[in-house]
């Protein structure tokens, strides 16, 4: 699948697979995944990661997270970041399954990887809470041909915060009418060139 020199296998019992690197992205996969998957399942996983690699997803996700963290005060921004991650994963799944026509290998691989993660968490005595919205959306799409992911933008939070900012701006305007004295003048006679 034209990934020569782009895949790094690490010796790890942890089920790890991800795309990394900004300028020259690569795929990291653990030996435990390679050894537990069939050839078709492994190919599906690598095709999924290849999509992330070709789309330069690591740098895109970094930029999205930086913007999200910088604009933390905007309600719903974290939710938009999560939605971006969900659609990024679904796009990679679409590539790996030939537009969701051949879903079995990826679904079986995902099932095995999740079972390995669950087993590792149980061995470590940790709570099993890794089933995130991203995985849930991926599973739903792999199971149901007609499933359409739900967009959750939080328009109510966004609208209420914009309304609050508008009220704040109007209150500054009316409560502090001398505020306009601090703004630059449009009149050429008021400039400092003559001084």
């Amino acid at each position: 699948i034209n990934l020569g020199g782009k895949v790094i296998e690490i010796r790890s019992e942890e089920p790890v697979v991800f795309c990394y690197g900004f300028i020259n992205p690569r795929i990291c996969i653990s030996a435990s995944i390679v050894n537990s998957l069939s050839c078709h399942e492994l190919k599906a996983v690598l095709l999924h990661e290849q999509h992330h690699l070709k789309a330069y997803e690591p740098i895109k996700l970094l930029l999205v997270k930086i913007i999200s963290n910088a604009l933390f005060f905007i309600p719903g921004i974290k939710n938009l970041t999560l939605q971006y991650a969900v659609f990024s994963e679904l796009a990679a799944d679409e590539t790996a399954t030939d537009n969701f026509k051949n879903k079995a290998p990826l679904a079986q691989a995902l099932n095995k990887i999740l079972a390995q993660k669950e087993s590792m968490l149980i061995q470590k005595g940790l709570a099993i809470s890794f089933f995130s919205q991203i995985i849930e959306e991926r599973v739903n799409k792999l199971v149901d041909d007609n499933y359409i992911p739900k967009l959750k933008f939080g328009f109510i939070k966004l609208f209420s915060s914009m309304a609050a900012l508008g009220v704040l701006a109007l209150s500054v305007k009316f409560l502090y009418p001398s505020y306009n004295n601090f703004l630059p003048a449009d009149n050429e006679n008021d400039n400092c060139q003559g001084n």
Side-chain angles (χ1 to χ4, degrees), residues 54-161:
K54 286 182 175 179
Y56 290 92
E57 208 63 48
I59 195 155
K60 288 179 184 177
L61 279 172
L62 176 68
L63 292 174
V64 165
K65 287 181 181 181
I66 288 171
I67 292 168
S68 174
N69 289 336
L71 301 175
F72 68 93
F73 52 88
I74 298 177
I77 195 76
K78 294 288 184 194
N79 199 17
L80 287 174
T81 302
L82 178 62
Q83 290 299 316
Y84 177 84
V86 166
F87 284 105
S88 169
E89 289 299 315
L90 290 176
D93 285 351
E94 183 178 16
T95 299
T97 60
D98 190 23
N99 200 23
F100 294 105
K101 294 176 192 163
N102 184 18
K103 298 185 287 184
L106 184 62
Q108 291 164 350
L110 189 57
N111 183 47
K112 288 179 181 178
I113 292 169
L114 290 175
Q116 284 182 1
K117 285 185 179 184
E118 181 180 28
S119 175
M120 295 296 288
L121 289 173
I122 290 171
Q123 288 175 7
K124 293 178 180 180
L126 300 173
I128 302 167
S129 62
F130 62 86
F131 202 77
S132 67
Q133 181 183 347
I134 295 172
I135 294 174
E136 182 180 345
E137 293 287 353
R138 291 180 68 192
V139 169
N140 287 338
K141 187 63 180 172
L142 288 170
V143 170
D144 182 3
D145 289 332
N146 298 319
Y147 180 75
I148 298 172
K150 297 169 187 76
L151 295 174
K152 301 171 187 171
F153 287 116
F155 284 115
I156 294 172
K157 286 183 181 180
L158 187 59
F159 177 75
S160 61
S161 68

